Amino acid sequence: QRSANARKTTTTEVPISLKTMRRSSPPVGNRYSSRNGHNNYNGPSGSRRGGQSGQGRSYGGRNNGPSRDSRGAHPTNSVDPSSNSGAAMDGGGEAPPDTEPSLRVLSFFERGSHISFACYSEDENEIIFEDATANNGTDTERIVQGVLLETRPNLVLVGNKVVANAPLLECLTTMPLGVEQVGGRSTNGPNNNSHHGDTAGVAQGTEGDAHATAQSQSAQTNNSRPASQGTATAAIPYQLLKSSAFEPRQCRSIILHKLRVLTLMRKPMTANGDFSHAQNYTASLHTSTQPPSNFHSLASIINFDSPTLIRALGSLLTYLRNTAFRLEEGFTVTVNNIRRCPASDSFLRLEESTLRALRIFATDHHPLVANNNVKGRSYQKSKEGFSIFTLLDRAKSTAGRERLRQWMTQPSRDVAKIQQRHVGMELFLHPDCHPAVSLLLERLSDVGSMDSILLRMQRCCAQPNDFLVLGRMLDASYAIVATLGGDLRERAYKLDRENHDQERMDTDDGTIPSVNETGREQQEYPSVVYVDELLRRCHVPVIRNLRERMVSVIDEEVTSEAKDHVVIHYGFHEELDRAKETFETLDETLSEVGRQVLAKHQDLVSLKVVFLPQVGFLVSIDKRQHAHDETNNTFPNIPEDFEFVFVQDNDAFFKSDEMNQLDEEIGDLDAFIKDTEALIVSDLEEEVLECESELRSTFSALADLDCILSLAGCAADLNFVKPEIASAEEGIIYIENGRHPLQELIVNDFIPNDTMLDNSNRVMIVTGPNFSGKSCYARQVGVLVYLAHVGSYLPCDCAKISVVDQIIVNFGDVETCSVPQSTFQRDLTAVAGIMRKSTPNTLVLIDEFGKGTAPTSGIAVMTSAMQRLAQSKCKVVCTTHFLEMFSLGLLKSSKDGIKAVRMSIHIPETDIDDAVPLFKLEDGVASSSAGLVCARMAGLNTKVVDRASDIIKALKDGKQVQPLPESMNANSPFQPSVRSAIRLFLAVDSWSSATDEDLDLLQELVDRM
């Protein structure tokens, strides 16, 4: 019987030997989809069978006793009972010497595909953080190595899930190329327990002893080797500290109340390091009955909506409060600056607010709240709404759809990569390639998720359908590769030759500038190079051999009918085939043996021969037909060679010589067949996993192909054109007749507009009425720049766009009471974050900033913000109604990089006709916001609009606003009937002697009132 435990590995308890991990983990990895919430990083290239998935929990909120400064400080009792710096993975009991380098501690937290770091540098007294997304193992390695190169820590804080995930821990403890051990702990110190050998241990502190430490057993490289050598080494110049201070609420509270950033305060620190004003500021805060909160200032630089970043930063602050800043008043961590780590600049940086404002993704949740969180998976029954992703998503395969989402989550800043995608789209859009494209789309529909299949094989839980799907995927991939390498490559070569000849004819001298061989191929035959690159990533011999092996092993037709197990093909295993033949005729064999036994023993009335697993073959007789002594449970008339086994209901079971012979000759056929098939399937799984890297490479190339075909199909249907991608140094965003790809689908006639942003015109301020399309235009610019980085064609006539490092937006967001800020305060925080994050290569989109306060204050803040952004040289598109900025001369168009444009509108001379927005952008400043026109179009009461018009006219003329006419207010005591009654009442001297005529008239006037 097959033992599944022989193929599985359990989660290794600490300490973990990195030497063992490195021997068992291959060099390339993959992170599988983390929709189930588990940590599925499987090493640099996906560890094979036995790859551990970290499913541990991070503990927080417990006080495990006094904490020890890992740099040699004496143990101190923690003032905050909720804080816990964790148990150090440092085995040395003695303190290092005082000559050790400055502290650089890094906190790392990972959840699903989100990775966050926070590092404190004692030299600069600043915190560097990073919040990134890793869709696979390559992304994880790139981010981790980039952060390690930038921060160069000597202490790393990790949680339980990281420690339990051996491949992820190995990635974190493998130093990247070129890392010098500067700023790290000296491994040759007299008090360091260094061990020569390729091991580095991680020790777990016992509960209740937070200052129990264990020295990380870093492997030592040759001391004579220069540190600057660009070779990877197993020795890590930092210690690992297993921290449990990752509880979300505790981390958020510590960040808000215990972190003080001097650059975010009103008064900066003096040049000589004077903290007196900061101390006074702290003292004033502590006089308040409420705990001080830095949310307003920190929210401009820290994304409090990112749980991974909050946990990483909170764990770091918890450690610093108990060590380096334990003597600070209130255990407050005071740093000079906090900034983002530039370790993931290869992709366009996008925040959640940007994705939401530009509607890149839109999730429509299930109307039943209970269905949005089933089995711990959030939004399981949600679907993608009307968004840019649904517009571009025409992928035929699951892998292609996931790859497209990855491209859209991490748009590229690599000009060569974007241009390569354009080459593929141009090739597939050519009319001569349409027949081949149809074949590709047809076969891509048979491509499933290879990552899911390999993951289940690694976990020894592969289903029979996985092998059937894998077979169809291999057939589809082979057909796709044949199409790419055959007809499509020929057409690509023909197309490149035609384009090259045309370019040669267009040049003056008829020659192409000389370049190297690779450059010449890419210049003359870009389509062929693109196809060859796809074919290079597809390992055809491996695919063919694996498919032939699967066909020879698995009977796919019978397996699809059985559904519960994999059926081995007849002729593959002779012993298995004989066992199956015997098992198929087992009923006839047992019937014949039963007749022989009954003929041998004439005294028996009737009998049956049955088979019971783990018991064998038995003779079954009806005890009611034979003498049965219930007292002794014996059968006197049963033959002597019958050995009693047991009784069940009315049947008695016996062993006989014939049954023992059947046990020896036939045995447990069913178990033998299942075990043999399971072993064969297990061997086949091993063969599949041996080809894991080739399979991942092949189907990754097919996923990219599916994405390119999806983008090409969208471009063909929606009339998109190929943009020109320029380097960041050019700093240009030129779009001619650009269109919003979503807006043009829901309106009858969309009016396109131009965009021109360069180093001389950096800030574009758009004015105009409320309904003129200003916000739509700002979003349009952001969407088109975003699509250019994805590699898509653009909805315009032509475009030239330089790569940007990030797109930051400030649009009116959904109001919420979960954020302790007013609407205007949130706008201020967002703009403050824009000013801190923006660079000369940043695109900023701002919609009606400053409208939540008094007009004077809003205009002042808006003007100052625009001037500051113009000085930072970032590209800005801002919409506003503050026309006074230009009318008062606070800003001047075409000066200091600021350009004023307006949305045109036709306002009729009379009130009979409605105003008509033209949605066309033109130079200049709008004359008014046409608020009354908007009010009239919205159906506001005519009297209200007229009264508003009178008020505006009086304010413009500098006159006092007149009160409402008396005839317009029926409740006024000065109505004509009232005045008549008062005059009559006052005209009579004595009403005691008044005439009947006067009394009747007064009564009539009162009744009229």
Side-chain angles (χ1 to χ4, degrees):
Q1 185 175 4
R2 173 191 174 197
S3 174
N5 293 331
R7 301 168 55 206
K8 294 184 179 180
T9 58
T10 59
T11 303
T12 307
E13 299 293 338
V14 290
I16 300 174
S17 173
L18 297 184
K19 180 177 180 180
T20 304
M21 291 190 299
R22 291 194 176 97
R23 273 203 303 258
S24 60
S25 300
V28 182
N30 194 342
R31 177 190 299 278
Y32 300 100
S33 175
S34 58
R35 290 190 294 265
N36 56 0
H38 294 306
N39 182 346
N40 292 324
Y41 177 71
N42 287 294
S45 187
S47 61
R48 306 197 185 279
R49 181 143 357 231
Q52 302 178 7
S53 297
Q55 301 180 14
R57 285 187 172 182
S58 58
Y59 299 91
R62 297 185 302 177
N63 182 14
N64 292 334
S67 62
R68 179 187 297 271
D69 186 355
S70 65
R71 301 188 303 141
H74 295 288
T76 58
N77 292 326
S78 175
V79 176
D80 188 357
S82 64
S83 65
N84 178 18
S85 62
M89 302 174 184
D90 190 315
E94 299 180 359
D98 296 334
T99 57
E100 63 183 23
S102 58
L103 177 65
R104 298 182 70 93
V105 54
L106 175 71
S107 176
F108 170 77
F109 189 82
E110 187 266 354
R111 182 180 182 182
S113 60
H114 298 280
I115 298 178
S116 294
F117 296 87
C119 179
Y120 170 73
S121 174
E122 189 176 22
D123 290 335
E124 294 81 9
N125 191 30
E126 68 174 2
I127 293 178
I128 307 173
F129 69 91
E130 172 67 343
D131 185 22
T133 302
N135 294 283
N136 49 50
T138 304
D139 290 346
T140 303
E141 290 183 349
R142 175 183 53 79
I143 295 172
V144 171
Q145 294 183 6
V147 171
L148 292 178
L149 284 171
E150 178 69 21
T151 60
R152 301 178 184 271
N154 49 25
L155 179 64
V156 176
L157 307 177
V158 294
N160 290 336
K161 296 181 68 174
V162 177
V163 174
N165 192 345
L168 180 59
L169 185 64
E170 181 198 1
C171 179
L172 188 63
T173 56
T174 301
M175 295 305 297
L177 298 178
V179 172
E180 300 178 3
Q181 299 184 9
V182 294
R185 183 182 301 274
S186 175
T187 57
N188 296 326
N191 294 328
N192 281 347
N193 297 329
S194 302
H195 299 276
H196 293 279
D198 191 14
T199 60
V202 180
Q204 182 180 13
T206 59
E207 185 175 355
D209 186 14
H211 63 273
T213 59
Q215 178 73 17
S216 66
Q217 301 172 0
S218 302
Q220 300 298 315
T221 55
N222 191 352
N223 294 333
S224 61
R225 179 186 302 175
S228 60
Q229 286 184 356
T231 57
T233 174
I236 54 175
Y238 53 80
Q239 291 177 312
L240 291 179
L241 178 70
K242 184 169 175 290
S243 174
S244 60
F246 287 100
E247 201 277 325
R249 291 188 179 181
Q250 174 188 347
C251 293
R252 183 183 180 90
S253 176
I254 291 176
I255 294 172
L256 291 178
H257 304 301
K258 299 301 179 182
L259 174 61
R260 184 172 59 189
V261 183
L262 297 181
T263 55
L264 300 180
M265 297 173 63
R266 290 175 293 180
K267 294 182 180 181
M269 186 183 67
T270 58
N272 56 1
D274 183 12
F275 284 87
S276 59
H277 64 277
Q279 295 173 356
N280 295 333
Y281 178 72
T282 306
S284 64
L285 290 178
H286 283 288
T287 58
S288 175
T289 57
Q290 298 293 334
S293 175
N294 299 325
F295 182 85
H296 298 307
S297 59
L298 294 177
S300 64
I301 196 68
I302 299 175
N303 182 15
F304 282 92
D305 294 332
S306 175
T308 55
L309 177 60
I310 296 302
R311 292 186 178 188
L313 184 57
S315 175
L316 174 66
L317 295 179
T318 301
Y319 175 81
L320 293 177
R321 292 180 64 215
N322 294 329
T323 54
F325 291 87
R326 66 187 182 279
L327 300 180
E328 289 283 335
E329 181 180 0
F331 293 88
T332 302
V333 179
T334 304
V335 297
N336 292 339
N337 188 25
I338 180 171
R339 62 182 177 89
R340 186 181 291 272
C341 175
S344 58
D345 290 341
S346 58
F347 297 106
L348 177 65
R349 190 183 298 276
L350 298 170
E351 297 180 351
E352 289 294 334
S353 59
T354 303
L355 297 175
R356 184 169 55 251
L358 301 182
R359 203 168 181 83
I360 305 302
F361 302 100
T363 303
D364 292 342
H365 302 312
H366 195 277
L368 183 59
V369 178
N371 287 339
N372 289 331
N373 192 1
V374 180
K375 296 181 180 180
R377 289 183 286 182
S378 299
Y379 310 131
Q380 185 182 14
K381 294 190 176 182
S382 302
K383 62 180 181 179
E384 187 70 24
F386 185 60
S387 63
I388 300 295
F389 176 73
T390 55
L391 181 70
L392 300 180
D393 181 20
R394 305 189 180 194
K396 297 298 182 179
S397 63
T398 304
R401 187 170 295 106
E402 294 177 354
R403 183 59 54 84
L404 179 61
R405 180 177 288 272
Q406 177 183 341
W407 284 7
M408 299 183 67
T409 306
Q410 296 178 332
S412 177
R413 297 184 65 241
D414 189 349
V415 177
K417 183 180 294 185
I418 298 175
Q419 292 175 346
Q420 186 184 33
R421 295 174 183 177
H422 289 168
V423 169
M425 294 177 61
E426 185 177 8
L427 170 64
F428 297 133
L429 288 174
H430 197 274
D432 294 343
C433 299
H434 288 177
V437 170
S438 300
L439 295 176
L440 293 177
L441 293 175
E442 181 181 357
R443 300 303 299 179
L444 281 172
S445 59
D446 294 332
V447 177
S449 177
M450 177 59 66
D451 289 344
S452 301
I453 295 176
L454 294 177
L455 178 60
R456 284 190 289 269
M457 288 185 179
Q458 290 171 349
R459 294 179 174 179
C460 306
C461 58
Q463 301 298 320
N465 188 58
D466 291 336
F467 294 93
L468 301 178
V469 173
L470 178 59
R472 291 195 295 268
M473 292 173 61
L474 295 177
D475 290 338
S477 63
Y478 192 79
I480 292 173
V481 170
T483 304
L484 289 174
D487 183 54
L488 192 61
R489 191 178 187 281
E490 294 179 1
R491 297 184 183 276
Y493 177 78
K494 179 180 179 182
L495 177 62
D496 289 341
R497 290 296 302 173
E498 293 177 355
N499 295 335
H500 178 64
D501 294 340
Q502 183 64 32
E503 291 178 0
R504 185 182 297 273
M505 293 175 60
D506 294 339
T507 56
D508 295 336
D509 54 358
T511 60
I512 302 297
S514 60
V515 292
N516 57 54
E517 192 65 26
T518 304
R520 180 178 296 276
E521 291 180 358
Q522 294 179 353
Q523 184 180 22
E524 296 181 359
Y525 306 101
S527 300
V528 176
V529 172
Y530 173 78
V531 174
D532 289 344
E533 176 63 19
L534 286 177
L535 294 175
R536 183 190 63 81
R537 296 168 59 188
C538 298
H539 300 270
V540 179
V542 176
I543 298 297
R544 181 175 58 251
N545 295 336
L546 182 59
R547 181 52 181 158
E548 293 176 354
R549 179 65 173 173
M550 292 183 62
V551 170
S552 64
V553 173
I554 300 177
D555 191 338
E556 296 183 354
E557 182 178 356
V558 181
T559 301
S560 61
E561 296 175 357
K563 296 182 180 180
D564 58 343
H565 68 284
V566 178
V567 179
I568 306 303
H569 204 285
Y570 184 82
F572 178 77
H573 196 283
E574 296 182 359
E575 188 175 358
L576 178 62
D577 295 340
R578 290 195 298 267
K580 286 184 177 181
E581 293 174 355
T582 305
F583 186 79
E584 291 175 357
T585 60
L586 184 61
D587 292 340
E588 293 80 1
T589 302
L590 297 183
S591 299
E592 179 64 23
V593 173
R595 287 191 293 269
Q596 295 177 2
V597 174
L598 188 61
K600 179 179 178 181
H601 305 283
Q602 300 291 336
D603 297 337
L604 298 178
V605 179
S606 65
L607 59 84
K608 295 184 294 183
V609 178
V610 299
F611 172 78
L612 298 179
Q614 299 181 358
V615 178
F617 294 91
L618 300 174
V619 175
S620 173
I621 64 174
D622 191 343
K623 65 179 182 180
R624 295 172 298 183
Q625 298 176 356
H626 301 81
H628 179 215
D629 187 358
E630 296 183 357
T631 303
N632 299 325
N633 196 20
T634 57
F635 295 84
N637 299 330
I638 295 301
E640 295 181 357
D641 60 340
F642 275 38
E643 180 183 354
F644 174 75
V645 181
F646 66 93
V647 175
Q648 183 178 6
D649 297 333
N650 294 325
D651 294 327
F653 297 89
F654 300 87
K655 276 286 188 180
S656 66
D657 296 339
E658 291 82 1
M659 299 302 104
N660 292 330
Q661 185 178 359
L662 288 177
D663 290 340
E664 294 178 359
E665 294 179 356
I666 299 179
D668 193 347
L669 280 180
D670 184 65
F672 173 78
I673 292 173
K674 291 182 178 180
D675 290 346
T676 304
E677 288 183 339
L679 290 176
I680 295 175
V681 171
S682 177
D683 294 338
L684 181 60
E685 289 180 358
E686 294 292 346
E687 294 182 18
V688 173
L689 292 177
E690 288 177 359
C691 305
E692 178 182 357
S693 59
E694 291 82 1
L695 291 175
R696 291 192 187 278
S697 175
T698 300
F699 287 96
S700 176
L702 298 185
D704 291 346
L705 175 63
D706 200 2
C707 288
I708 295 298
L709 291 173
S710 177
L711 296 178
C714 183
D717 294 341
L718 301 179
N719 193 24
F720 288 5
V721 299
K722 176 183 176 181
E724 180 182 354
I725 305 300
S727 62
E729 289 73 15
E730 295 190 32
I732 183 173
I733 299 177
Y734 171 72
I735 303 172
E736 181 179 343
N737 290 331
R739 312 185 305 274
H740 194 292
L742 297 181
Q743 190 72 19
E744 69 172 345
L745 296 179
I746 59 177
V747 297
N748 295 328
D749 297 317
F750 187 88
I751 307 300
N753 282 295
D754 299 340
T755 302
M756 182 60 190
L757 293 172
D758 53 19
N759 294 327
S760 59
N761 295 320
R762 300 182 295 273
V763 179
M764 178 186 293
I765 300 180
V766 186
T767 59
N770 286 316
F771 58 96
S772 59
K774 301 187 305 298
S775 300
C776 179
Y777 174 76
R779 287 185 171 90
Q780 171 185 311
V781 175
V783 169
L784 266 61
V785 173
Y786 167 81
L787 290 177
H789 288 75
V790 173
S792 170
Y793 281 13
L794 303 184
C796 60
D797 291 348
C798 64
K800 181 178 181 181
I801 298 177
S802 297
V803 293
V804 298
D805 56 0
Q806 55 186 335
I807 300 178
I808 311 178
V809 303
N810 178 27
F811 282 80
D813 208 345
V814 180
E815 297 294 333
T816 176
C817 60
S818 62
V819 178
Q821 288 181 314
S822 64
T823 303
F824 183 60
Q825 182 66 47
R826 294 179 65 186
D827 273 354
L828 292 175
T829 301
V831 173
I834 290 174
M835 293 182 180
R836 297 182 185 278
K837 301 172 186 176
S838 60
T839 67
N841 295 326
T842 301
L843 175 62
V844 178
L845 308 176
I846 301 178
D847 185 35
E848 298 185 11
F849 169 63
K851 62 183 180 179
T853 185
T856 304
S857 300
I859 293 172
V861 176
M862 177 69 173
T863 303
S864 179
M866 292 300 101
Q867 293 174 344
R868 178 66 179 85
L869 291 175
Q871 294 175 1
S872 65
K873 299 182 179 181
C874 61
K875 308 301 182 296
V876 181
V877 177
C878 176
T879 65
T880 183
H881 289 283
F882 292 147
L883 310 180
E884 294 80 359
M885 292 189 304
F886 297 97
S887 62
L888 298 179
L890 303 177
L891 294 178
K892 294 183 179 180
S893 182
S894 301
K895 185 178 180 181
D896 298 331
I898 298 177
K899 181 180 180 181
V901 295
R902 64 188 178 191
M903 282 291 183
S904 58
I905 178 175
H906 172 69
I907 300 179
E909 298 179 356
T910 62
D911 297 338
I912 300 177
D913 299 328
D914 293 333
V916 179
L918 303 179
F919 304 111
K920 194 64 179 178
L921 198 68
E922 58 185 19
D923 293 339
V925 182
S927 58
S928 68
S929 294
L932 297 183
V933 177
C934 296
R936 189 176 291 108
M937 294 179 62
L940 204 62
N941 188 282
T942 305
K943 296 178 180 179
V944 175
V945 176
D946 293 341
R947 175 60 176 170
S949 178
D950 295 340
I951 294 175
I952 291 176
K953 183 177 180 181
L955 293 176
K956 286 184 177 180
D957 297 340
K959 298 180 180 180
Q960 184 179 1
V961 180
Q962 297 296 326
L964 288 172
E966 297 175 350
S967 59
M968 297 296 293
N969 193 346
N971 296 324
S972 174
F974 300 101
Q975 292 293 322
S977 59
V978 177
R979 292 198 302 269
S980 299
I982 293 176
R983 291 192 188 101
L984 177 61
F985 182 79
L986 295 177
V988 177
D989 294 335
S990 176
W991 280 98
S992 60
S993 59
T995 62
D996 293 340
E997 183 180 358
D998 292 337
L999 292 174
D1000 293 340
L1001 181 59
L1002 180 62
Q1003 183 65 42
E1004 181 182 355
L1005 293 175
V1006 172
D1007 293 341
R1008 190 181 301 173
M1009 291 168 55

